[in-house]
Structure formats: structure tokens, C-alpha cells
């Protein structure tokens, strides 16, 4: 399903007139490029504005550190002030088990708007302006959450060749309570989601660029049946897979937020290989798999090198100072490390990683908000970030909660959408269905394996898969709107008399009604996404599933 051609299109033999993949690529890109881009960006701006409003309004509330902000906000301030995570209360290095990039990004907001911590008696003003300290440590998450909506709009538009479907994807993500809560808290998972999605977007652009390269070569008379270099497009630094290399940097950034980004690396490599094989098969290459491996494996290796280099660069504060935990050979017993200036710190860093991995592998302590992977898409056990039973609400008793809960109607659509996506992807031989399914699998399936060992898990581990689950829903909506048997992205105007008019009209109404109902569902649960003080009875009415959400 991840191969070529796209929906309902068989490979066309190449011709001297530039047929085959050249004709297919010209036709597809004409669809993208001839759409009114001004309207596209205007529609995108509206969706992103909605996302920004619900993420930034009231960002400083509730006061104080909620859930794991107590760790990451403090670690972030240590990074921007000393270059490493630091325990200011005891004036010692902090032992942390996640890479630093997400905390560096949180620290940017603290640097800009100020930081305060009562436990360690640290209070510093912002370099740009001084606000409530909570705004400072939540600012970067809100920015990244908003930008991830922007990314999904443009990725969806690129994949489906439809501004309507791209904006639908962005709007559904903007109105997802799970994504909203992570965008309003100084946790790492929203940064992980962003970089994984950005890497995927770069690969989609790489796919388009490589197809254009083959199309130009075929137009210029390339005969792909020729052996060796004679049957391939010309090379040169201008034809390098720059977007693929950018994806390597971005996935390195994702790994530098949380190691779980590594699960996407083999999935993304498979996408590249499938897409490259697909374009060669469509062009008429005699041995598409062999030629793909010969041509593309070196680039994948280089992307891997860039990924590793990017990851190590995020540890520069730890490498360039002596303050970090485990930084010096004498920092822990039994060390046989040398004091050599380069290899010593790298070996120390390896030992640090081994110790952190041991912590994660043995993490099986019971927690009241832990959940199993098979519960996540069913919203079986969300995580309460904050709860207070006081405040002014005009009732005898009040409640304020921030619950990491997906918008129920949207999340309960994910499993049916995935089933439909498998059916549609196989029937239509659509690369988009395969790409979405593969990335969802990379984001969810590894956790089922770890569940066998009884490892402690939380629903926010599913965060990187959420944009791709939304794309699965939008794919199905596109199938409802498209002409019978037509491409998912063929969202053309409804014209009476068209053979598919009635079916498309019903599909369009159903798709629009679905998005509207998701918006209404989001509005109903909005108070418990942002910690608004409401009457206790109103709060209790939102605690569904026989109290599993309490």
C-alpha cells in the first residue's frame, strides 16, 4: 500500500513523449499548484488562529506546577542557566532520564518571560518581559502545539491535494483535548509529536521532489530500461535528497526529546524505500528494488549520521561543562574511563545513557493513572494533571480539573477509521493509506510489546501517533466526499446531474456534520481541558465511563 501508483491508477508505460511517471506527476502537481494558494493560506491561517486562541488564552492558569511540570520546568531552568539540569535546592546536578532538547525549548520561554520556584527560592525576571511564571514555562509548548496544527494542515493538503481536507485535519487536531492539554503544559510529549510530524512532512516533500526529478528526466528523453547510470536521472548537488536529509535532522531532534522517537526511524526508512521503488516501477525500471537499494541506501545512511549528530549536539551543555550528572569519570563508582578530552566525555555519556535505559526498563511501579496501550484509543484511563475542589463558581461546591483526555467523539472514531483505512488502502492501492497506517503502527505497537513486561505506561505515550490518527479520519472523510471510485483528494464542486452527485452530497453533509459534532464535543469538555472552575455537578457530568475518568 505504500508503493505507487496512487489511488485507482495503474502504472503507465513510459513513452518518448514523456508518458508514464512524467505524465502522472505533471497531472498530480498541476492539481496542487493550480489551486488558489491565496485561499489555501487564508484557510490555513484561520485554522491556526483557532488553535492559537484556545492554547494561549488563560495559559497561566492554574497557578503552580501541574503534574510533571515539577520536573521539566525546573530542569529547563537549569539548562538555560548552567547548561545542564541542576537541583538548585541542594545545589547539585540533577539525575534525569530524558534527553535535553524538550527542556531546552521549555527553557526558552522561561528565559523570555521569567521563572520562579518556591522550593529552591529561585525567582528571575524575563529578558523580554516579566509575566506570571507559569506563562514562561508553558509558552514554548503552546507555540509548538500551534505550529503542529499548521504542519498538519499543510501536510494534509499536500497528501490529499485538497485545502478542504488539509484544513479539516488541522481543525480536528486543534480541537482535540489531548493535544490541547499537552500544548498547555511544560511536558515533553508535545515537542516529540511536533518533531516526528515535521520529519514525516519532510519525507512527503522528499517524495514529491524525487518524483519531479524522474519526471524531468523522462521529459528529457531518459530511457529507464538502460542499465546502470544511463537509465537514471542525472546527479549533482542540486538533485540531492535535501528534504530526506532534513528529515534525518528532525528525527534526531525528536530522539533528543524522548527516545521513543526511535520507533519511527525504521518506519520512515521503509516509506522512503517503498516510495523510491514505486517511482522506479512506474517509470519502467527493470529492477526497481535493486536500483533503489543501490541508489538510496547511502542517502539513508547519511540521514542516519545527521540524526546521530543532531542528537549529540543537543547534549552540548553536558559535554562542554563539568557540571552534569555522570559528566566526570569520578562521578560514579567502578568507572574505567580515561580523562582524554574527547573520548572520555563521550564514554561517560554512553554510561549515562545505559543507566537511564536501565531506569526505563525497570519502571514498573504502580501509579493510579497508569494505563495499557489497548486502553488509549478507547480513553480507558486518562491522566489528571490538576484537580482542585475550591474556587468561585456560583454553586455550593466547585471543581477545577485538567484532564488529559482526547475529545471523545474524535478518539472513538480512530479505530473505525483505521479499519476503513486498511480496506480503502488495499482496494485503491493508495500510498497515503499505507503511509498513515505505518506511522500509526510505529507510534502505538511498540508499547504493546513493553506491556508484556508490565512496564508502567501512561496515555500520553501515544502523543506522536495522534496527528496520523487524525489523518486516518480525514482520509475516510475524503473517501465520503470524493466521486465513486475516485481519488480521496478529488474534492471538486458538487454539480447536479453528476453521476456521483447524490452520493457526494450525502457524504459532504455527513463529513461536515462530523466535524461540527467534534467541535461541539470539544466545547462541552473544554472546561476540564483548561482547568476552568465549574460547579461540582457540571464536573461530575463530564466524568464518563463509570468513573474511569475520575
Amino acid at each position: 500500500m505504500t508503493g505507487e501508483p496512487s489511488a485507482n491508477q495503474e502504472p503507465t508505460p513510459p513513452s518518448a513523449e514523456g508518458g508514464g511517471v512524467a505524465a502522472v506527476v505533471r497531472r498530480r502537481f498541476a492539481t496542487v499548484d493550480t489551486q488558489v494558494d491565496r485561499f489555501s493560506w487564508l484557510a490555513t491561517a484561520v485554522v491556526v488562529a483557532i488553535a492559537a486562541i484556545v492554547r494561549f488564552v488563560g495559559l497561566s492558569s492554574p497557578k503552580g506546577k501541574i503534574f510533571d511540570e515539577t520536573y521539566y520546568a525546573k530542569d529547563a531552568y537549569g539548562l538555560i542557566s548552567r547548561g545542564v539540569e541542576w537541583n538548585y535546592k541542594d545545589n547539585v546536578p540533577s539525575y534525569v532520564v530524558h534527553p535535553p532538547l524538550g527542556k531546552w525549548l521549555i527553557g526558552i520561554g522561561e528565559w523570555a518571560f521569567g521563572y520562579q520556584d518556591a522550593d529552591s527560592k529561585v525567582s528571575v525576571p524575563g529578558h523580554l518581559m516579566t509575566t506570571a511564571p507559569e506563562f514562561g514555562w508553558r509558552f514554548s509548548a503552546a507555540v509548538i502545539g500551534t505550529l503542529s496544527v499548521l504542519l498538519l494542515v499543510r501536510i494534509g493538503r499536500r497528501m490529499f491535494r485538497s485545502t478542504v481536507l488539509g484544513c479539516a485535519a488541522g481543525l480536528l487536531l486543534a480541537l482535540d483535548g489531548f493535544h490541547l492539554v499537552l500544548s498547555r503544559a511544560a511536558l515533553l510529549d508535545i515537542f516529540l509529536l511536533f518533531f516526528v510530524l515535521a520529519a514525516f512532512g519532510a519525507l512527503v516533500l522528499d517524495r514529491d521532489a524525487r518524483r519531479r526529478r524522474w519526471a524531468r528526466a523522462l521529459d528529457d528523453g531518459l530511457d529507464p530500461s538502460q542499465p546502470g547510470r544511463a537509465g537514471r536521472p542525472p546527479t549533482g548537488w542540486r538533485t540531492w535528497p535535501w528534504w530526506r536529509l532534513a528529515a534525518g535532522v528532525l528525527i534526531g531532534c525528536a530522539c533528543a526529546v524522548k527516545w521513543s522517537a526511535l520507533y519511527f526511524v525504521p518506519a520512515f526508512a521503509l516509506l522512503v524505500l517503498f516510495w523510491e521503488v514505486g517511482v522506479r516501477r512506474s517509470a519502467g525500471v527493470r529492477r526497481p528494488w535493486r536500483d533503489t537499494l543501490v541508489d538510496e541506501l547511502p542517502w539513508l545512511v547519511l540521514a542516519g549520521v545527521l540524526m546521530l549528530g543532531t542528537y549529540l549536539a543537543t547534549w552540548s551543555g553536558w559535554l562542554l561543562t563539568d557540571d552534569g550528572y555522570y559528566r566526570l569519570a569520578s562521578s560514579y563508582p567502578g568507572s574505567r574511563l580515561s580523562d582524554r578530552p574527547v573520548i572520555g566525555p563521550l564514554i561517560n555519556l554512553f554510561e549515562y545513557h545505559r543507566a537511564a535505559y536501565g531506569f526505563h526498563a525497570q519502571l514498573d511501579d504502580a501509579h493510579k493513572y497508569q494505563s495499557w496501550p489497548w486502553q488509549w484509543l478507547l480513553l480507558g484511563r486518562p491522566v489528571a494533571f490538576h484537580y482542585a475542589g475550591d474556587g468561585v463558581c456560583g454553586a455550593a461546591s466547585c471543581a477545577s480539573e485538567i484532564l488529559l483526555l482526547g475529545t471523545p467523539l474524535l478518539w472513538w472514531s480512530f479505530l473505525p477509521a483505521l479499519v476503513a483505512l486498511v480496506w480503502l488502502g488495499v482496494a485503491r492501492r493508495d500510498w497515503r493509506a499505507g503511509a498513515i497506517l505505518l506511522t500509526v503502527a510505529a507510534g502505538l505497537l511498540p508499547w504493546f510489546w513493553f506491556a508484556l513486561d508490565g512496564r508502567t505506561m501512561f496515555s500520553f505515550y501515544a502523543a506522536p501517533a495522534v496527528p496520523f490518527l487524525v489523518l486516518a479520519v480525514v482520509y475516510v472523510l475524503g473517501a465520503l466526499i470524493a466521486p465513486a471510485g475516485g481519488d480521496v483528494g478529488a474534492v471538486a464542486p458538487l454539480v447536479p446531474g453528476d453521476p456521483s452527485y447524490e452520493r457526494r452530497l450525502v457524504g459532504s453533509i455527513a463529513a461536515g456534520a462530523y466535524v461540527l459534532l467534534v467541535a461541539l464535543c470539544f466545547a462541552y469538555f473544554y472546561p476540564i481541558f483548561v482547568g476552568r472552575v465549574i460547579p461540582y455537578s457540571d464536573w461530575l457530568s463530564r466524568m464518563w465511563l463509570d468513573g474511569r475518568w475520575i
Side-chain angles (χ1 to χ4, degrees), residues 48 58 80 83 188 224-225 263 290 315 322 393 432 493 513 533:
V48 173
I80 64 168
L188 304 181
S225 64
Y263 306 143
R290 188 199 66 177
W315 285 86
D322 293 336
C393 64
R432 293 165 295 190
V533 180

Short mmCIF file of all heavy atoms in Angstrom, two decimals, residues 48 58 80 83 188 224-225 263 290 315 322 393 432 493 513 533:
data_model
loop_
_atom_site.label_atom_id
_atom_site.label_comp_id
_atom_site.label_asym_id
_atom_site.label_seq_id
_atom_site.Cartn_x
_atom_site.Cartn_y
_atom_site.Cartn_z
N VAL A 48 -5.16 27.87 12.14
CA VAL A 48 -4.06 28.07 13.08
C VAL A 48 -4.44 29.12 14.13
O VAL A 48 -4.08 28.99 15.31
CB VAL A 48 -2.78 28.48 12.33
CG1 VAL A 48 -1.67 28.86 13.30
CG2 VAL A 48 -2.32 27.34 11.42
N GLY A 58 -5.58 32.18 28.81
CA GLY A 58 -5.54 31.60 30.15
C GLY A 58 -4.40 30.63 30.38
O GLY A 58 -4.50 29.74 31.24
N ILE A 80 19.07 26.46 30.93
CA ILE A 80 19.35 27.80 30.39
C ILE A 80 20.25 28.61 31.30
O ILE A 80 20.86 29.60 30.87
CB ILE A 80 18.04 28.57 30.14
CG1 ILE A 80 17.28 28.83 31.44
CG2 ILE A 80 17.18 27.86 29.13
CD1 ILE A 80 16.15 29.82 31.29
N GLY A 83 23.56 25.21 31.73
CA GLY A 83 23.90 24.31 30.63
C GLY A 83 23.55 22.86 30.89
O GLY A 83 23.62 22.04 29.98
N LEU A 188 7.14 17.05 27.86
CA LEU A 188 7.97 16.81 26.69
C LEU A 188 7.20 16.32 25.47
O LEU A 188 7.68 16.45 24.34
CB LEU A 188 9.07 15.79 27.02
CG LEU A 188 9.99 16.13 28.20
CD1 LEU A 188 11.02 15.02 28.37
CD2 LEU A 188 10.67 17.47 28.00
N PRO A 224 14.68 4.54 -18.98
CA PRO A 224 14.97 3.85 -17.71
C PRO A 224 15.30 2.38 -17.88
O PRO A 224 15.73 1.73 -16.91
CB PRO A 224 13.66 4.04 -16.92
CG PRO A 224 12.62 4.25 -17.94
CD PRO A 224 13.28 4.97 -19.07
N SER A 225 15.10 1.83 -19.07
CA SER A 225 15.44 0.42 -19.28
C SER A 225 16.93 0.23 -19.48
O SER A 225 17.42 -0.91 -19.48
CB SER A 225 14.67 -0.13 -20.47
OG SER A 225 15.07 0.54 -21.67
N TYR A 263 11.31 4.56 17.41
CA TYR A 263 10.39 3.61 16.80
C TYR A 263 9.96 4.06 15.41
O TYR A 263 9.54 3.24 14.59
CB TYR A 263 9.15 3.43 17.68
CG TYR A 263 9.46 3.04 19.11
CD1 TYR A 263 8.71 3.53 20.17
CD2 TYR A 263 10.52 2.19 19.41
CE1 TYR A 263 8.99 3.19 21.48
CE2 TYR A 263 10.82 1.84 20.71
CZ TYR A 263 10.05 2.35 21.75
OH TYR A 263 10.34 2.01 23.05
N ARG A 290 16.45 -3.45 -6.68
CA ARG A 290 17.91 -3.42 -6.68
C ARG A 290 18.43 -2.01 -6.87
O ARG A 290 19.32 -1.55 -6.14
CB ARG A 290 18.46 -4.33 -7.78
CG ARG A 290 19.98 -4.52 -7.73
CD ARG A 290 20.53 -5.00 -9.05
NE ARG A 290 20.36 -3.98 -10.10
CZ ARG A 290 20.82 -4.12 -11.34
NH1 ARG A 290 21.44 -5.22 -11.71
NH2 ARG A 290 20.64 -3.16 -12.23
N TRP A 315 23.20 17.66 23.46
CA TRP A 315 23.87 17.41 24.73
C TRP A 315 25.09 18.32 24.92
O TRP A 315 25.93 18.07 25.79
CB TRP A 315 24.33 15.94 24.82
CG TRP A 315 23.21 14.97 25.07
CD1 TRP A 315 22.41 14.39 24.13
CD2 TRP A 315 22.77 14.48 26.33
NE1 TRP A 315 21.50 13.56 24.73
CE2 TRP A 315 21.70 13.59 26.08
CE3 TRP A 315 23.18 14.69 27.64
CZ2 TRP A 315 21.03 12.93 27.11
CZ3 TRP A 315 22.51 14.03 28.66
CH2 TRP A 315 21.45 13.16 28.39
N ASP A 322 31.59 20.73 33.18
CA ASP A 322 31.88 19.63 34.10
C ASP A 322 30.77 19.46 35.13
O ASP A 322 30.93 18.72 36.10
CB ASP A 322 33.21 19.88 34.82
CG ASP A 322 34.40 19.82 33.89
OD1 ASP A 322 34.28 19.17 32.83
OD2 ASP A 322 35.44 20.43 34.21
N CYS A 393 -17.71 29.60 41.75
CA CYS A 393 -18.43 29.17 40.55
C CYS A 393 -19.92 29.40 40.64
O CYS A 393 -20.66 28.98 39.75
CB CYS A 393 -18.15 27.69 40.28
SG CYS A 393 -18.77 26.59 41.57
N ARG A 432 -0.96 6.77 0.36
CA ARG A 432 -1.26 7.58 1.53
C ARG A 432 -1.81 6.73 2.67
O ARG A 432 -1.46 6.93 3.83
CB ARG A 432 -2.24 8.69 1.16
CG ARG A 432 -1.64 9.71 0.21
CD ARG A 432 -2.67 10.57 -0.44
NE ARG A 432 -3.57 9.83 -1.31
CZ ARG A 432 -4.43 10.38 -2.14
NH1 ARG A 432 -4.53 11.69 -2.22
NH2 ARG A 432 -5.21 9.64 -2.91
N PRO A 493 -16.29 20.70 -6.89
CA PRO A 493 -17.63 21.23 -6.59
C PRO A 493 -18.72 20.23 -6.94
O PRO A 493 -18.61 19.46 -7.89
CB PRO A 493 -17.71 22.48 -7.47
CG PRO A 493 -16.29 22.86 -7.74
CD PRO A 493 -15.53 21.58 -7.78
N ALA A 513 -21.09 17.39 9.15
CA ALA A 513 -21.76 17.17 10.43
C ALA A 513 -20.81 16.55 11.44
O ALA A 513 -20.83 16.90 12.63
CB ALA A 513 -22.98 16.27 10.22
N VAL A 533 -12.91 26.67 36.63
CA VAL A 533 -13.68 26.40 37.84
C VAL A 533 -15.15 26.32 37.46
O VAL A 533 -15.73 27.28 36.93
CB VAL A 533 -13.46 27.49 38.91
CG1 VAL A 533 -14.29 27.17 40.15
CG2 VAL A 533 -11.97 27.58 39.27
#
